Amino acid sequence: MKEEKCETTCEQKEVTKDQVDKIIRHHMYTAFGVGLIPMPLIDLVAVTGVQLNLVRKFAKIYGIPFSKDKVKSILTSLVGGAVPATAGAPVASLAKTVPVVGYSLGAISMSVIASASTYAVGKVFNRHFASGGTFLTFDTEKVKNYYEKMFKKGKECASDINKESYADDTKYEASVNTA
């Protein structure tokens, strides 16, 4: 009860676009790396942890009391409810059980999905908190379309992370071969 009262009366804080982008980018990179975890379904749990931390950071910046259980429930509803956007995550995770090819495809797919989903979660919560919203006023039905739109944009950003990673590997291999 005390948390609810504080949550509805906390004052809105000014957050810069650079702060928001930096926080989201950091968590996207982390989610991308977590997607590479070779153990199926463990990667999904770890991505949820990354997203919980992302939401916790935004809640702290905006002065909104954080409730892990409440946020888990919201994330489950938001991410799980965006079926077309995130339906591939469990499949990508389970593909890792197939030796070599399955792991490779599953790891890349899972990394992109995890990163894109994290991007979308960050954008949704930042927008909600910036407009004066709290966990009590969060309505997953109202933000699903925005989440799906941000997920698509997040996939583009995550693909860029993958390309950067591949380019870095290629540069490293070239420098090792010439040394």
Side-chain angles (χ1 to χ4, degrees):
M1 213 44 148
K2 191 175 187 180
E3 178 186 340
E4 290 177 16
K5 184 178 178 189
C6 175
E7 191 170 327
T8 58
T9 60
C10 289
E11 62 182 67
Q12 191 173 341
K13 294 189 178 183
E14 189 69 30
V15 181
T16 68
K17 183 180 180 333
D18 286 342
Q19 283 177 298
V20 170
D21 290 346
K22 184 178 179 180
I23 292 168
I24 291 174
R25 192 175 339 105
H26 170 76
H27 285 82
M28 281 182 69
Y29 286 138
T30 304
F32 193 91
V34 164
L36 298 173
I37 292 174
M39 297 172 3
L41 304 180
I42 301 296
D43 51 2
L44 293 173
V45 173
V47 169
T48 301
V50 170
Q51 293 175 350
L52 278 168
N53 187 53
L54 171 63
V55 175
R56 182 187 59 76
K57 285 202 180 212
F58 279 133
K60 183 177 180 180
I61 287 171
Y62 286 100
I64 297 169
F66 181 80
S67 167
K68 184 178 177 182
D69 292 333
K70 199 178 290 187
V71 176
K72 272 184 172 178
S73 176
I74 291 171
L75 285 176
T76 301
S77 179
L78 178 64
V79 176
V83 175
T86 57
V91 174
S93 181
L94 290 172
K96 294 177 182 179
T97 60
V98 178
V100 185
V101 174
Y103 173 75
S104 298
L105 293 175
I108 296 300
S109 298
M110 185 60 200
S111 292
V112 170
I113 291 168
S115 189
S117 177
T118 300
Y119 176 88
V121 165
K123 290 294 188 177
V124 165
F125 275 94
N126 179 65
R127 181 183 192 190
H128 180 68
F129 293 155
S131 67
T134 66
F135 291 118
L136 291 176
T137 61
F138 193 88
D139 183 352
T140 54
E141 289 302 315
K142 288 183 179 177
V143 298
K144 278 185 181 176
N145 287 336
Y146 184 65
Y147 174 86
E148 289 179 16
K149 182 179 172 184
M150 292 298 99
F151 182 84
K152 288 178 185 172
K153 189 171 178 183
K155 278 175 66 175
E156 294 171 16
C157 294
S159 293
D160 290 344
I161 294 170
N162 187 33
K163 289 175 191 171
E164 289 172 18
S165 173
Y166 179 74
D168 289 345
D169 289 346
T170 305
K171 287 177 192 173
Y172 174 76
E173 287 173 10
S175 69
V176 169
N177 291 335
T178 60

